[in-house]
Amino acid sequence: MYCVVLDATTKDKWAVIFYNNAHAALMFVPLIGIFETQIIIEHQAKLRNPLFWFWMTVAALLGSFVGVAAVTQLKLTSPLSHNVIGNAKGAAQSIVGAYIWRTPLTLHGVIGLGTVLGGSLLYAYCRLQEKKSESKSGSGKTKNNGKEASELEANGNQHSKEQLEEYDTTRRHDNDGGSNKGHASSL
């Protein structure tokens, strides 16, 4: 059911955010009740405090805004870029947290954080070089069987550049009778 709902809403980011938050509430509230029963019983008086619910609401709103940012980022970048950014953010938070709380880092921890941050910087550098080479090679628009990418978008088809390039590669491969071995679609 989840995949059917998600497929029906992929063009509406607000619906995706709503379904993600609704599913999280439906899944986590029972799990909290099951695994945190003892803590809930011990702190039952605090659950009646309006200040507690105020801060819980603030945290929920901030979590929803993080979801909005993630969905927006996925629409503007690739899933791989989203994942790399998330890992880099986590590594940066670990370093800042270790500094603030004066937590000593092990050699393995430093190597791991350095690897994540170094890999993220290398990925960002490669993407930047890729964008520069695309802008130097022309207008950056992909031809698709005689149509410019902007024509496809003007007709209401909102495709990413990667999708348009894949379409172009597939069309060339099909038009060559499958002899175009250098393209990703024939691998």
Side-chain angles (χ1 to χ4, degrees):
M1 179 173 148
Y2 181 75
C3 293
V4 173
V5 171
L6 191 57
D7 286 341
T9 62
T10 53
K11 293 182 182 178
D12 184 7
K13 70 179 180 180
W14 295 107
V16 171
I17 293 167
F18 170 77
Y19 286 123
N20 282 342
N21 288 334
H23 284 135
L26 291 174
M27 288 176 10
F28 288 122
V29 170
L31 290 174
I32 291 169
I34 292 168
F35 293 109
E36 303 293 334
T37 306
Q38 187 63 32
I39 294 172
I40 292 171
I41 291 171
E42 289 174 13
H43 300 284
Q44 194 170 16
K46 292 180 183 177
L47 293 176
R48 294 187 188 103
N49 185 349
L51 189 60
F52 169 79
W53 289 107
F54 170 77
W55 287 114
M56 289 298 288
T57 304
V58 168
L61 288 173
L62 290 175
S64 296
F65 292 145
V66 168
V68 169
V71 170
T72 304
Q73 182 183 33
L74 280 170
K75 282 187 146 313
L76 298 175
T77 65
S78 69
L80 177 61
S81 295
H82 174 72
N83 196 3
V84 169
I85 291 167
N87 287 325
K89 180 182 70 169
Q93 286 174 337
S94 297
I95 291 170
V96 170
Y99 176 76
I100 290 173
W101 301 109
R102 308 275 189 243
T103 305
L105 295 173
T106 64
L107 178 63
H108 291 295
V110 170
I111 291 171
L113 292 170
T115 302
V116 169
L117 291 175
S120 299
L121 288 173
L122 184 60
Y123 176 79
Y125 175 77
C126 290
R127 290 290 292 176
L128 182 64
Q129 294 303 318
E130 186 179 293
K131 296 283 184 191
K132 283 182 181 178
S133 68
E134 285 176 4
S135 65
K136 286 181 183 178
S137 67
S139 64
K141 294 180 181 174
T142 305
K143 293 227 178 202
N144 288 302
N145 202 17
K147 290 185 179 180
E148 291 285 340
S150 59
E151 287 180 43
L152 291 173
E153 290 177 4
N155 292 332
N157 298 327
Q158 297 296 324
H159 299 288
S160 69
K161 188 171 185 178
E162 290 82 10
Q163 289 171 320
L164 294 173
E165 288 173 1
E166 181 179 274
Y167 174 76
D168 183 41
T169 302
T170 304
R171 295 293 291 171
R172 280 188 280 151
H173 177 71
D174 291 344
N175 290 338
D176 290 342
S179 65
N180 198 351
K181 304 246 187 275
H183 293 288
S185 64
S186 62
L187 295 177

